[in-house]
Amino acid sequence: EAGVAQSPRYKIIEKRQSVAFWCNPISGHATLYWYQQILGQGPKLLIQFQNNGVVDDSQLPKDRFSAERLKGVDSTLKIQPAKLEDSAVYLCASSHSGGGGRETQYFGPGTRLLVL
Amino acid sequence: RKEVEQDPGPFNVPEGATVAFNCTYSNSASQSFFWYRQDCRKEPKLLMSVYSSGNEDGRFTAQLNRASQYISLLIRDSKLSDSATYLCVVIANTGNQFYFGTGTSLTVIP
């Protein structure tokens, strides 16, 4: 079974530029998550999709971050404009149904973003 | 107050040692708990779920203490390959939000 795919793996941009990340979850997984992991910290949930609907985006900085999952499969996360403090690893994860409980999340390899 | 708090360590232990990590959570209504392992520059991977009755998987034992609102992970007979960051995860009862701790760094020394 193919895992969660993410691209690009690395990205270096200057502040105030825009950047987009792509994620393709495990086939058949209804729930998709985007996390931000700053060095030395645990992952912080940015947004959670159930199929193509947003379940939770309470921690997404909506003035600069946006995400979509139009067809309920792959997803993009965009930052516009980027700030220095956005430097982090952006992890995408998916789970089968997202019903909480004992659902296992499977993570992609992440995109490492460096904002200069 | 953070949803989940962990001692970041680092824990440096010799091979064969027993080491334990604790993680506290603030929402008493939390229902599901997990330990994830994250190797350096890699993504987190599920290590084990934590059940109310406690559960064991080989050298790893996870326990939940609802009264004191903490979960623990015990690693016996540490191996060099156990060196990693261990993240505790709590799912809030509402909204199915996954809250990660900051992670505890473990280095097993030969």
Side-chain angles (χ1 to χ4, degrees), chain A:
Chain A
E1 179 183 74
V4 177
Q6 287 188 250
S7 68
R9 292 295 307 277
Y10 305 91
K11 191 73 178 179
I12 301 174
I13 61 173
E14 294 185 349
K15 60 182 179 183
R16 291 188 288 274
Q17 285 188 322
S18 301
V19 64
F21 312 129
W22 174 82
C23 172
N24 192 20
I26 292 173
S27 178
H29 279 196
T31 305
L32 185 148
Y33 312 80
W34 281 104
Y35 289 89
Q36 179 193 59
Q37 187 172 24
I38 292 172
L39 187 65
Q41 299 182 19
K44 182 183 83 170
L45 181 67
L46 294 175
I47 190 166
Q48 177 182 344
F49 291 96
Q50 179 85 6
N51 297 308
N52 61 350
V54 175
V55 173
D56 183 0
D57 63 357
S58 58
Q59 299 191 88
L60 187 73
K62 297 180 185 64
D63 58 334
R64 298 184 300 106
F65 286 65
S66 64
E68 59 184 15
R69 193 186 185 199
L70 294 176
K71 297 182 179 179
V73 180
D74 56 351
S75 175
T76 55
L77 176 69
K78 296 180 182 178
I79 308 175
Q80 181 180 7
K83 293 185 175 181
L84 297 177
E85 58 262 36
D86 298 332
S87 295
V89 177
Y90 290 84
L91 293 161
C92 179
S94 69
S95 63
H96 185 69
S97 66
R102 303 200 180 279
E103 282 279 310
T104 298
Q105 288 192 30
Y106 297 88
F107 284 83
T111 295
R112 295 184 179 277
L113 173 68
L114 178 60
V115 182
L116 302 175

Side-chain angles (χ1 to χ4, degrees), chain B residues 13-60:
Chain B
V13 302
E15 269 187 293
T18 296
V19 62
F21 310 133
N22 282 342
C23 172
T24 59
Y25 59 94
S26 61
N27 186 344
S28 60
S30 298
Q31 293 295 318
S32 300
F33 311 88
F34 304 88
W35 284 101
Y36 275 70
R37 170 188 170 133
Q38 187 171 28
D39 291 292
C40 186
R41 302 181 71 85
K42 298 286 188 180
E43 70 273 21
K45 292 185 179 178
L46 179 67
L47 178 65
M48 59 197 306
S49 302
V50 187
Y51 303 118
S52 296
S53 56
N55 48 303
E56 188 173 310
D57 182 3
R59 299 180 293 107
F60 298 82

